[in-house]
Each structure stands twice: as structure tokens, then as C-alpha cells.
Amino acid sequence: MYRWLLVLFVFFVSCGISEDEDNILKTKYDQSLLREDFKLFWAILQKAHPALYEYYAQKEFQKIVDSVYLTIEGRLTLQEFNNKLHFIVDKIGCSHTNIYLPSKVTN
């Protein structure tokens, strides 16, 4: 009897966990929070990346970043926001620079 209760408990807990993982991808985040994250991402790249302007002049690359920043409108999902960041990383042209979705999503 206790064994079946334990099995049912584990089953229901695991169902709740998988539901949360699905919600992470479906949750839409507020524009102001995403823009703050984008600014932090850009500030870190400027301070830490040694070859940020290898393929584009600084002014030209800044225009690309500004245009992506302006596309952050309304509420976006994590995947939509990640795609915008990934666009910037691709423009850098460095094979050592990459971003990933959180491990909670990819596991």
C-alpha cells in the first residue's frame, strides 16, 4: 500500500516538474526586464570580448546592436529573446563566443 502511494507521489511530482519546464519556454517576459538584460549583455561584451570589432567598425557594430535593442518590444518569450542575443553573437564572428538557453530548458 505504501509502495503505491510512494509511486503515485513521485509520479505527480515529476508531472509538475515537466510542466514547469514547458512554462519556462512559454512564459513571456516584460520589455523593461528584457531591455535591462540586453544592456547588461552588451556591457559585458564590451568589457570582456577582446576582438569585438574585428569584422565591423565600432560605429557600424553599435548600429547593429541599437537596431536589435529597438526590436525588443512588448512581451517576449525566452526563446525570442535568446534569438536576438544570438544574432549579436553571430555578428561578432568569433567561434569562441556563444550563448545558451538555461540548462533547465535544455535538459
Side-chain angles (χ1 to χ4, degrees):
M1 175 73 173
Y2 291 111
R3 185 175 289 167
W4 281 107
L5 288 175
L6 180 63
V7 169
L8 284 174
F9 176 75
V10 170
F11 173 75
F12 287 121
V13 169
S14 67
C15 288
I17 291 172
S18 66
E19 186 176 307
D20 287 344
E21 290 173 1
D22 291 340
N23 287 338
I24 289 173
L25 289 177
K26 294 178 184 175
T27 302
K28 294 203 173 209
Y29 297 92
D30 191 45
Q31 171 183 335
S32 60
L33 295 174
L34 295 175
R35 285 190 170 185
E36 281 182 42
D37 285 352
F38 187 89
K39 287 178 185 177
L40 178 62
F41 168 76
W42 179 233
I44 291 170
L45 274 178
Q46 286 177 311
K47 288 182 181 178
H49 202 283
L52 189 59
Y53 306 112
E54 184 76 23
Y55 297 106
Y56 292 95
Q58 185 173 357
K59 285 184 179 183
E60 187 177 354
F61 200 78
Q62 186 64 50
K63 286 181 184 178
I64 293 169
V65 171
D66 291 343
S67 69
V68 172
Y69 178 80
L70 292 175
T71 66
I72 302 172
E73 293 181 342
R75 298 173 58 83
L76 300 175
T77 64
L78 186 60
Q79 182 65 51
E80 291 168 331
F81 183 64
N82 186 67
N83 290 343
K84 293 178 185 306
L85 298 181
H86 208 315
F87 181 80
I88 300 294
V89 170
D90 283 345
K91 289 294 180 183
I92 294 171
C94 174
S95 62
H96 297 100
T97 306
N98 208 342
I99 58 170
Y100 303 97
L101 287 170
S103 60
K104 189 173 183 178
V105 174
T106 57
N107 285 341

